[in-house]
Amino acid sequence: MTMLPSTFDPNQVPPSSGGGKNLPPTHDSKGHLVRIVSDEIKETADRMGTMLVLTLEVIDGPHAGAQGVYRLNVGNNNATAVRIAYQQLSAICHVVGHLQALQDTSVLHNRPFRVLVALQSDKDNAAKGYTEITQVLDVNGNKP
């Protein structure tokens, strides 16, 4: 059970997507069917904030069982980073159908949704890329 810094109401924040890493890229508009299997609040690398780290697991297709993380900067000195994090959390809430206020994120566990994942390049080394969630969709492929 992970508790957010404060109660979050997904109806008060417009949904948006982005972030995450370690999931294989998707090559179609359907994306990976995933579920949240765990989460935790962690300190950011600079120790200036906190992030909600969601562990996603692919639950069907050739990549079933693959896991990756979706990091949301829920506590940060940068207000834009926090706004983006809560927009991303709102998108997840919308696509899994949880539209009530929440503070305990375990209510989002094991609810399937889809993610589109793209390969991004590292700014310093183009050969050293990473994957990033570009879109969160409901199980039928609809945007939040």
Side-chain angles (χ1 to χ4, degrees):
M1 168 171 58
T2 298
M3 301 299 282
L4 295 171
S6 62
T7 300
F8 172 70
D9 184 347
N11 296 300
Q12 302 298 314
V13 180
S16 182
S17 300
K21 66 186 222 175
N22 301 326
L23 290 172
T26 51
H27 302 289
D28 59 32
S29 61
K30 206 170 115 176
H32 297 302
L33 185 63
V34 299
R35 65 185 176 123
I36 298 170
V37 294
S38 66
D39 60 17
E40 64 182 318
I41 296 287
K42 287 182 123 178
E43 195 171 55
T44 56
D46 65 5
R47 297 179 179 232
M48 299 296 290
T50 56
M51 59 186 155
L52 173 62
V53 180
L54 305 170
T55 301
L56 306 181
E57 179 180 57
V58 177
I59 56 176
D60 78 343
H63 299 290
Q67 291 190 348
V69 294
Y70 198 15
R71 292 181 177 98
L72 309 178
N73 286 303
V74 294
N76 197 295
N77 290 333
N78 182 330
T80 301
V82 173
R83 178 182 50 79
I84 291 168
Y86 280 111
Q87 287 175 327
Q88 293 168 334
L89 183 57
S90 178
I92 292 170
C93 290
H94 278 80
V95 299
V96 301
H98 184 88
L99 299 178
Q100 299 88 25
L102 70 117
Q103 190 169 12
D104 177 0
T105 55
S106 67
V107 298
L108 303 175
H109 289 203
N110 299 310
R111 293 179 170 208
F113 60 100
R114 294 189 176 279
V115 293
L116 299 180
V117 181
L119 185 61
Q120 305 293 323
S121 62
D122 186 303
K123 292 177 187 174
D124 299 324
N125 181 352
K128 189 178 152 189
Y130 60 96
T131 58
E132 179 178 46
I133 295 172
T134 59
Q135 189 71 52
V136 173
L137 307 167
D138 70 12
V139 294
N140 298 312
N142 300 308
K143 293 180 181 181

